[in-house]
Amino acid sequence: MSALDGLRPVDFASALPGADYGEVYLEDSGGISVLFEDSRVEDLTAGSERGLGLRYLKKEGKTVRTLQGSANTLDPREALRLRSGLFNGQAAGAAAPLGALQSFRHPIRLDPACVPLEDKIALLRAVDRDVRDNFPHIRQISLTYGERRKDVLLLNTEGSALREQRTTVIFAVSVVTEKDGVLQTGMEVLGALKGYELLSDSDPFAAARGAARRALAKLAAPKAKAGEMPIVISSSAGGTFIHEAIGHSLEVDHVQEGSSPAYSGKLGSVVAPENITVIDDPTLPFYLGSFAFDDDGAPARPTALVKNGVLTDYLYDRVCAMREGRASNGHGRRESFHCRPIPRMSNLYIAPGQDDPKAILKGLKAGLFVTRMGGGQVNTATGEFVFEVDEGFWVEDGKISHMVRDANLLGVGPAVLKSIDKVGWDMGWGIGTCGKDGQGVPVGDGQPTLGIPNILIGGSHED
């Protein structure tokens, strides 16, 4: 049962007026995380959080002034006290009457809270044993199980009364192998807006074996050659490339602050080949980055950021939209009621194209075929990025020659995006937690198989 079940939205309505816009954000959330390492439970955390956040926005010319506060309670009297403190006892403004409560619960088949903790730990122990029994040279296995429920209720001066309940489950594995002093790692992550059924809909044993197989294979693989060369990024690599190379740069706060010069003032301009369309879609069922409404109260909807190579929009929250006198497109996200919403990605992807993925690989005469991506980061001011390659292969005359290890992709996002010459008709996805301004939110990212004629590979200069 959620602590929000017994609340009446009308009890908080008197805390809303005070500025051009006001909101009350109520949250009840909690979860557990289990780290199973070295064949034992290394860390077990459990916790819950409930409280309220108040925020008031006042348009002053081209700027938006914000008053914000939070309290670790769901008491409407505390909301009034907090409001009085924010306005020093005086506030002017009006609020529309609250409309009927709109409630949305992402469907789950098996509530993870109903599964005994002992069963979850037993699964991790069985996966650990399975990998150790079937693969040599295992140095370390790290398994993480996480579950989180989040119930939020947002009320605002526009008359909105919105409630959303989300449950997520995550299973992550990292396998480290060692031979002759060489260490290599393989990783895999499963996760979705689902209940405990995720671990029957997906196969954690297969995921762990895949991570171990990659880590083991890389022990015998030569280091990747360094230098500029053509590459193919498989759909199986997920969307880390698009997330880092362009996604952050299209979050409009970066544009407004001048820290995304490649895309600032470029609406309507060609920023990619005609076969590139980039969409952020928080409405995809069960995807980790999905939601029914954003943390500003805007309804979720797909947003085409690049359409047939032309820049068509940015990712907006309410504050950035108010600065420009336009409506938000529903991408204001916050980690918790303590935080302010900021423009964020949800499920960002490059739409599938018309090229045969097998033909894209066959056309690679000498270069790198990336099938798994690792972590990445980008400087939004310059567009420079670096990505780790978790699994990659050297290709000669369109055929895979051998696996390579220790490869990185380096480049400038806007330039690399413009250079893409092949877009496959397939599609693959990755998941993760995206960090920005000290806040982490769950995201998904996807792409088809992509052909890039020239990119810098960080690796070995040895022959």
Side-chain angles (χ1 to χ4, degrees):
M1 181 176 178
S2 169
L4 301 190
D5 288 340
L7 298 182
R8 298 193 313 160
V10 67
D11 292 340
F12 296 86
S14 56
L16 290 171
D20 294 335
Y21 170 83
E23 72 184 14
V24 178
Y25 183 92
L26 307 165
E27 176 184 343
D28 180 23
S29 61
I32 66 169
S33 177
V34 182
L35 173 62
F36 194 89
E37 198 170 80
D38 296 325
S39 299
R40 66 178 185 271
V41 175
E42 187 67 27
D43 187 54
L44 172 62
T45 59
S48 61
E49 189 175 40
R50 57 182 63 168
L52 60 89
L54 267 62
R55 185 173 61 138
Y56 304 91
L57 306 179
K58 180 70 174 178
K59 181 75 180 293
E60 297 177 347
K62 293 185 178 181
T63 65
V64 177
R65 186 163 65 96
T66 301
L67 291 176
Q68 185 169 341
S70 63
N72 296 314
T73 178
L74 296 173
D75 189 338
R77 294 169 297 181
E78 183 60 31
L80 285 174
R81 286 192 290 268
L82 183 58
R83 173 183 180 271
S84 179
L86 290 172
F87 287 103
N88 294 319
Q90 297 182 353
L98 289 176
L101 178 64
Q102 300 178 53
S103 186
F104 184 85
R105 180 172 183 174
H106 295 266
I108 61 173
R109 300 200 308 271
L110 179 56
D111 187 344
C114 297
V115 178
L117 177 61
E118 293 79 6
D119 291 358
K120 299 163 185 172
I121 294 174
L123 173 64
L124 298 179
R125 183 174 289 110
V127 172
D128 177 85
R129 186 185 309 115
D130 181 73
V131 172
R132 294 183 186 278
D133 287 348
N134 287 283
F135 295 91
H137 308 301
I138 298 296
R139 170 69 177 270
Q140 185 181 61
I141 302 172
S142 297
L143 301 166
T144 300
Y145 168 83
E147 66 187 50
R148 179 172 172 80
R149 59 168 183 82
K150 188 171 185 178
D151 190 0
V152 300
L153 175 61
L154 187 145
L155 317 170
N156 64 25
T157 49
E158 296 174 346
S160 296
L162 306 167
R163 184 177 178 184
E164 183 168 357
Q165 296 171 278
R166 309 182 191 108
T167 299
T168 57
V169 170
I170 299 286
F171 172 85
V173 56
S174 173
V175 179
V176 180
T177 55
E178 180 182 20
K179 184 179 181 182
D180 300 329
V182 175
L183 296 172
Q184 290 296 319
T185 302
M187 299 174 290
E188 190 72 63
V189 182
L190 307 174
L193 264 175
K194 288 187 175 183
Y196 200 73
E197 69 270 10
L198 170 76
L199 299 181
S200 57
D201 294 345
S202 305
D203 188 344
F205 289 89
R209 288 185 175 193
R213 195 173 293 113
R214 287 193 296 276
L216 189 62
K218 284 190 286 187
L219 287 176
K223 291 184 178 181
K225 297 178 180 179
E228 294 186 352
M229 64 187 71
I231 69 168
V232 172
I233 305 180
S234 170
S235 60
S236 65
T240 300
F241 167 75
I242 188 62
H243 179 99
E244 299 290 354
I246 185 176
H248 281 294
S249 298
L250 295 182
E251 293 167 338
V252 77
D253 51 346
H254 294 307
V255 175
Q256 293 178 347
E257 294 161 1
S259 59
S260 181
Y263 299 111
S264 180
K266 298 294 179 63
L267 288 178
S269 301
V270 175
V271 297
E274 191 175 354
N275 57 356
I276 294 291
T277 292
V278 179
I279 298 170
D280 190 281
D281 188 356
T283 70
L284 299 174
F286 305 112
Y287 279 58
L288 199 65
S290 293
F291 45 84
F293 60 88
D294 77 351
D295 293 322
D296 278 326
R301 62 178 178 84
T303 299
L305 300 168
V306 177
K307 189 172 183 179
N308 298 328
V310 176
L311 182 63
T312 54
D313 210 348
Y314 304 114
L315 298 174
Y316 280 87
D317 68 343
R318 184 180 291 271
V319 168
C320 292
M322 284 181 69
R323 288 178 185 148
E324 298 183 12
R326 59 160 282 173
S328 168
N329 54 21
H331 286 86
R333 304 186 68 189
R334 66 178 103 192
E335 182 176 312
S336 79
F337 66 91
H338 294 296
C339 305
R340 63 184 178 92
I342 53 178
R344 306 297 297 270
M345 288 171 273
S346 61
N347 304 304
L348 185 82
Y349 66 96
I350 296 178
Q354 300 296 318
D355 297 309
D356 183 344
K358 293 181 179 178
I360 296 176
L361 179 60
K362 190 174 181 180
L364 184 60
K365 298 306 179 184
L368 186 66
F369 180 43
V370 179
T371 52
R372 294 277 176 173
M373 295 286 278
Q377 58 185 3
V378 64
N379 182 334
T380 58
T382 63
E384 295 175 311
F385 65 76
V386 58
F387 306 129
E388 298 174 359
V389 175
D390 186 42
E391 182 181 68
F393 299 86
W394 181 251
V395 174
E396 294 277 0
D397 294 323
K399 297 181 180 179
I400 293 176
S401 173
H402 57 268
M403 176 181 273
V404 297
R405 60 180 172 91
D406 303 339
N408 294 292
L409 308 183
L410 301 94
V412 178
V416 173
L417 189 70
K418 286 183 177 180
S419 74
I420 296 173
D421 61 356
K422 300 293 182 182
V423 180
W425 59 51
D426 54 349
M427 194 68 194
W429 286 88
I431 61 169
T433 298
C434 177
K436 177 181 175 182
D437 293 355
Q439 298 187 47
V441 296
V443 296
D445 41 54
Q447 67 165 65
T449 296
L450 301 174
I452 302 176
N454 193 44
I455 198 170
L456 180 62
I457 305 297
S460 173
H461 290 280
E462 300 174 3
D463 293 332

